[in-house]
Amino acid sequence: KKKRLSILSYLLDAPKRKTLGTPDVEGLFQDLLRMEKDLLFKIIDTLQIALTDEQRKELEKPVTVNPRALMAYFKGINASDHQDYEKAAGYYDEARMLDPQFRWPGIALNELIHLRLIKPRSGKRRIKEFARSLRDRTSLTDSLEPEAPTKRLRKPDAVPVAPEPEGQRFTTGLD
C-alpha cells in the first residue's frame, strides 16, 4: 500500500490574532516535491501576493530533484539545530555531492563557516573525508563476487586478513 501524505499550513496574522487561511495539499510521499510547490502557490494565493511571470517561473523550479540530496540537507539542518556543526557540515557536503545544482547546502555550509562554527574546508580535506567514507565500502578486486572477500587494508604492505582461495594468490595490485 502506498503511503499518503497530508500537509496543512496555518497562516496567521499574529498582531491581530487571526487565522488568514489553512492551505493544504495531499498526495503520495513520492510526490513530496510537487506537493511542496502546490502548497507554496496556495499560500501565495491566500496571502494575495502578486507575482510577475518571471517570479512564478523561478518559484516553480524545484530546489533539487534528488530526494537523497534533500534528505541529507534536512539531516544537516537537524544536526545544526542540535549544535553538532561538524556533522551538519558532513551532511551538507553529502547533499552537494548528490546534487551539485542544489544550492542550499552550500549556502548553509558557508553560513557555518562565516559564523565560525566550523573551520573552512579545503578541497583537499573534503576529498580525504570522502575517501575515508568510501574506505570500507570498496574492495581490492574488480570481480563482482570475490571468492575470498577481503577488508581494505590501511597500508599496502599489511598482511591480508582473509585466507587466500586455493590455487589463487592474494595481490594488492602493487606487486
Side-chain angles (χ1 to χ4, degrees):
K1 184 178 176 181
K2 296 195 176 192
K3 301 274 182 175
R4 293 198 60 77
L5 180 67
S6 295
I7 304 172
L8 176 64
S9 176
Y10 289 93
L11 301 177
L12 305 174
D13 182 341
K16 293 181 181 177
R17 297 182 180 175
K18 176 180 161 186
T19 301
L20 300 174
T22 55
D24 65 325
V25 293
E26 191 175 308
L28 298 176
F29 183 76
Q30 63 258 27
D31 297 328
L32 179 62
L33 297 175
R34 180 198 48 80
M35 291 169 54
E36 180 267 335
K37 292 300 177 185
D38 291 347
L39 182 61
L40 170 67
F41 287 109
K42 283 185 176 185
I43 290 170
I44 288 170
D45 290 343
T46 301
L47 295 176
Q48 300 175 349
I49 297 172
L51 298 175
T52 65
D53 289 340
E54 186 177 304
Q55 290 171 323
R56 184 168 290 278
K57 283 181 185 177
E58 188 63 29
L59 289 173
E60 286 173 350
K61 293 179 188 173
V63 294
T64 181
V65 293
N66 186 328
R68 290 178 48 217
L70 189 61
M71 188 55 67
Y73 175 69
F74 289 156
K75 287 179 180 180
I77 291 172
N78 187 52
S80 190
D81 286 348
H82 287 92
Q83 298 179 350
D84 192 345
Y85 304 115
E86 284 297 328
K87 190 173 185 180
Y91 284 125
Y92 295 144
D93 280 338
E94 179 183 346
R96 288 170 42 174
M97 281 189 276
L98 290 167
D99 182 356
Q101 304 303 313
F102 187 15
R103 297 182 334 199
W104 295 1
I107 292 168
L109 190 58
N110 287 335
E111 181 180 28
L112 293 178
I113 293 167
H114 178 74
L115 294 173
R116 295 190 174 138
L117 298 170
I118 62 169
K119 292 181 182 175
R121 302 162 97 73
S122 70
K124 195 173 190 179
R125 182 175 172 194
R126 271 197 309 256
I127 291 168
K128 282 176 105 174
E129 288 172 359
F130 180 64
R132 191 174 301 121
S133 76
L134 295 176
R135 181 179 345 183
D136 293 327
R137 294 189 286 172
T138 60
S139 74
L140 297 173
T141 180
D142 59 355
S143 170
L144 294 177
E145 296 181 25
E147 291 182 29
T150 59
K151 183 172 171 124
R152 181 171 283 281
L153 305 173
R154 291 190 185 269
K155 297 179 182 175
D157 59 344
V159 178
V161 292
E164 293 182 21
E166 281 190 39
Q168 290 187 354
R169 186 173 158 277
F170 175 80
T171 63
T172 61
L174 300 173
D175 297 342

